[in-house]
Amino acid sequence: MKTNRLTVELGERSYEIVIGDSLLQQVPDLLAEAGVVSTSKLMIITDEHVAVRYLEPLRDALRAAGYNAIASVVEAGEQSKSLAVYERLMTEAIQGGLDRKSAILALGGGVVGDLAGFVAATFMRGIDFVQLPTTLLAHDSSVGGKVAINHPLGKNLIGAFHQPRVVIYDTKVLHTLPKREVAAGFAEVIKHALISDASFVDWLEENAARLWELDSELLGKAIERGCAVKAAVVSADETEQGQRALLNLGHTFGHAFEALSAYATLNHGEAISIGMCIAAKVAERIGLAQSGVYDRTKHLLSLYHLPTAWPKGLEPQDVLEAMKRDKKTVGGQLALVLPSAIGQAEIGKHVDEQLILTVMSEEAEAL
């Protein structure tokens, strides 16, 4: 498989997304190319599952190239995006001798990327970091510079915008993922298609069987197309003052599901999958989207073995209250991203809360 490169255009802070097979072996060369020097220490942050397979080979490659890297391993799962784990990593960075010229390498999925990026954004007021995503879901979170940790009352409420120096995406590692994680990753690929390109939606429908089996050629194309959507949106609106909010399709609902389930029942992809279905139903109900958008959205998500039904055990009123705590809420008003058609979405629709509650109640009663 060839190596593909995309650029996130942000002036002096522009950076490349490098996508290809077996790229973890090339990390030292790609770091040097991106301007990450070997004269200061690196810190690799990863989780316990990724560490078993990839930590030591990466450290060996870095050492051979003259880099000095310490490593910190966190528990796998959303619970690691906490103030307690953040404080521990800060302590390890200080004790490990990192300085202002150091860089942090985020080796893992979205949780590790968010956490490590927030450590990098705040250590000595900000040092370089590099995204080394190891999940399909992270094709979204590794691009764009949103870094954060969670609070018990809401997801990603403590965070910053801090762009990586480079994103190095080794597609070979995706073949070791559990199928549940593969499905979660496709939720974000589907989201990129639903907000931007009806032909991308068609392609995902037509190639669902081969993509589900992780056909190397098609998988690389799916990641490249998804990353290209994200890169274009971020380049135009880095700090989410306008169009970048499109990337939140399904997320206001999904983040509420995650928070209310204590980040234990649904993973991120599963939560936003259900959220995108509810957003489509709301859009049809208010007349923004024509009939059929909801059904096609559900069908596409189901092709990738994603949940589309209301999460068991959650009360619609509790979800609505959690949505009001979301960081996208302004002045107490929910600012939803809703589909206007397959491949198109609109931002900032202030929908009547009672209508949202009614739609969620219908979904809950359908169980």
Side-chain angles (χ1 to χ4, degrees):
M1 178 182 167
K2 66 176 182 178
T3 298
N4 295 315
R5 292 175 180 247
L6 304 168
T7 301
V8 181
E9 298 286 357
L10 293 169
E12 293 180 355
R13 292 175 296 105
S14 296
Y15 57 92
E16 283 197 316
I17 307 164
V18 188
I19 305 166
D21 196 42
S22 301
L23 289 185
L24 283 181
Q25 300 165 17
Q26 301 176 41
V27 165
D29 291 339
L30 292 169
L31 290 182
E33 186 180 309
V36 178
V37 298
S38 60
T39 53
S40 292
K41 276 190 178 177
L42 305 179
M43 180 180 188
I44 304 167
I45 297 177
T46 190
D47 70 38
E48 56 196 356
H49 294 162
V50 176
V52 172
R53 287 181 180 270
Y54 302 115
L55 178 56
E56 286 311 312
L58 176 60
R59 291 185 77 178
D60 288 345
L62 290 168
R63 287 193 195 101
Y67 287 94
N68 181 4
I70 63 171
S72 294
V73 180
V74 302
E75 184 180 354
E78 196 77 26
Q79 63 274 13
S80 285
K81 282 174 56 175
S82 68
L83 284 165
V85 174
Y86 166 75
E87 181 180 13
R88 188 199 107 196
L89 293 175
M90 278 295 202
T91 300
E92 291 176 8
I94 296 166
Q95 292 177 339
L98 267 67
D99 58 35
R100 296 178 113 175
K101 297 295 184 181
S102 294
I104 290 177
L105 310 187
L107 176 66
V111 167
V112 166
D114 284 1
L115 174 63
F118 189 59
V119 172
T122 49
F123 182 78
M124 295 189 176
R125 297 192 178 92
I127 62 173
D128 285 342
F129 90 111
V130 172
Q131 290 275 21
L132 303 172
T134 61
T135 67
L136 182 55
L137 186 69
H139 93 279
D140 178 74
S141 58
S142 65
V143 178
K146 278 188 175 182
V147 296
I149 56 175
N150 300 330
H151 187 277
L153 293 179
K155 182 180 170 87
N156 295 337
L157 293 180
I158 306 165
F161 288 97
H162 190 60
Q163 301 293 342
R165 286 297 292 267
V166 63
V167 179
I168 303 170
Y169 208 130
D170 186 343
T171 55
K172 187 175 182 179
V173 306
L174 303 182
H175 292 265
T176 63
L177 290 175
K179 281 299 190 181
R180 186 181 179 190
E181 294 302 318
V182 171
F186 277 118
E188 290 285 11
V189 177
I190 290 167
K191 178 204 73 179
H192 287 134
L194 288 172
I195 66 172
S196 69
D197 188 350
S199 68
F200 192 7
V201 174
D202 294 341
W203 185 83
L204 288 170
E205 288 174 334
E206 294 163 6
N207 294 286
R210 288 176 63 191
L211 283 165
W212 180 246
E213 295 304 323
L214 301 181
D215 177 284
S216 294
E217 182 181 355
L218 291 182
L219 183 61
K221 288 180 180 178
I223 293 169
E224 184 179 8
R225 290 184 76 166
C227 286
V229 172
K230 183 73 177 276
V233 172
V234 170
S235 295
D237 179 22
E238 179 182 3
T239 58
E240 203 171 306
Q241 302 304 306
Q243 289 299 106
R244 182 165 180 169
L246 284 172
L247 297 166
N248 294 321
L249 178 66
H251 284 59
T252 302
F253 295 102
H255 285 174
F257 298 150
E258 289 181 273
L260 290 173
S261 62
Y263 308 103
T265 307
L266 295 169
N267 64 35
H268 179 66
E270 293 165 342
I272 68 160
S273 174
I274 301 168
M276 287 189 286
C277 291
I278 297 173
K281 192 167 188 178
V282 169
E284 287 189 8
R285 189 65 54 86
I286 65 172
L288 175 65
Q290 291 184 342
S291 177
V293 170
Y294 170 67
D295 287 342
R296 191 172 176 194
T297 298
K298 285 188 70 171
H299 175 67
L300 176 57
L301 292 162
S302 68
L303 289 176
Y304 290 88
H305 306 272
L306 284 157
T308 58
W310 183 261
K312 291 181 180 180
L314 297 187
E315 293 295 328
Q317 185 64 52
D318 294 339
V319 173
L320 184 62
E321 294 304 314
M323 288 167 66
K324 291 180 182 179
R325 293 193 291 268
D326 190 88
K327 59 188 179 299
K328 295 177 285 295
T329 300
V330 180
Q333 292 291 312
L334 291 170
L336 294 178
V337 178
L338 299 175
S340 53
I342 294 296
Q344 297 177 31
E346 294 189 11
I347 302 166
K349 286 289 179 183
H350 297 293
V351 183
D352 178 70
E353 286 184 11
Q354 189 57 50
L355 186 147
I356 296 170
L357 187 60
T358 298
V359 170
M360 292 195 297
S361 297
E362 291 172 359
E363 293 291 292
E365 291 167 6
L367 287 177

